[in-house]
Amino acid sequence: MSKGGADNTPIIESSGYSDPDNPGEPVTYGDPTQIVSYSVFLSEQTKTFNLSEAVGTNRKDVNTMTITVSNGIAGADYSQKVIFTDLTPVSTSAEFRMLPEESGPNPIPFKLYFDSMEVVKGAIITWSNLQNGSNNTKTIRIGGIDQNIIDSLASGTYSDTINVEIRNP
């Protein structure tokens, strides 16, 4: 332990601490570090479209997801995990399915795409290369609807709710 005086600077003893709420933590100097944060935005709450727009190899844009990174380091790459599910549990159906508003007709299976990648329901997709301060954007699309299934079903309104979960890696 050093003694104070005109020519001395007191030094904190090895048992000293600077944060009374966390004794035993090391002494911190300078500004506290900023925690990197992520803001997620989906452009649409609902989207109505004609099923023929998503038949076969056609893809229908149904939403746009944007993740903004804040308090990060310029030029550093960040990532987030994205998981898509719908109203039908994976244990019941591994497919995404639009359900009829009126009971009776069968559901309509479809494929979901995150940009050009086909989504596996309930699987983790790592969205890498997120940049600080910029709007990192991907398009959510529907496609792969079988025309024969549509032709065999009763007319009506079919819908699905896509749930998006975001996790830190």
Side-chain angles (χ1 to χ4, degrees), residues 36-38 67-70 72-79 127-137:
V36 176
S37 63
Y38 303 88
I67 295 182
T68 303
V69 181
S70 302
I73 299 169
D77 288 336
Y78 295 91
S79 63
W127 186 352
S128 302
N129 303 318
L130 299 171
Q131 296 294 306
N132 182 59
S134 64
N135 291 330
N136 305 279
T137 302

Side-chain angles (χ1 to χ4, degrees), residues 49-130:
F49 63 96
N50 189 311
L51 293 176
S52 64
E53 296 176 89
V55 167
T57 59
N58 294 338
R59 305 285 181 267
K60 175 65 180 169
D61 294 0
V62 294
N63 216 323
T64 301
M65 181 187 297
T66 302
I67 295 182
T68 303
V69 181
S70 302
N71 300 323
I73 299 169
D77 288 336
Y78 295 91
S79 63
Q80 290 288 281
K81 295 180 185 278
V82 183
I83 302 166
F84 293 93
T85 56
D86 67 358
L87 297 175
T88 309
V90 175
S91 59
T92 304
S93 173
E95 298 176 308
F96 289 96
R97 303 186 315 167
M98 286 184 243
L99 304 172
E101 282 193 359
E102 295 182 21
S103 63
N106 291 324
I108 300 173
F110 64 91
K111 295 180 192 252
L112 189 69
Y113 297 88
F114 195 44
D115 266 352
S116 60
M117 179 190 347
E118 185 176 336
V119 172
V120 175
K121 184 164 129 180
I124 294 174
I125 298 169
T126 301
W127 186 352
S128 302
N129 303 318
L130 299 171

Side-chain angles (χ1 to χ4, degrees), residues 14-33:
S14 62
S15 62
Y17 55 90
S18 62
D19 183 355
D21 294 329
N22 294 300
E25 291 295 314
V27 175
T28 56
Y29 297 94
D31 295 330
T33 57

Side-chain angles (χ1 to χ4, degrees), residues 3-15:
K3 297 185 184 203
D7 297 327
N8 294 316
T9 302
I11 298 178
I12 298 175
E13 293 184 47
S14 62
S15 62

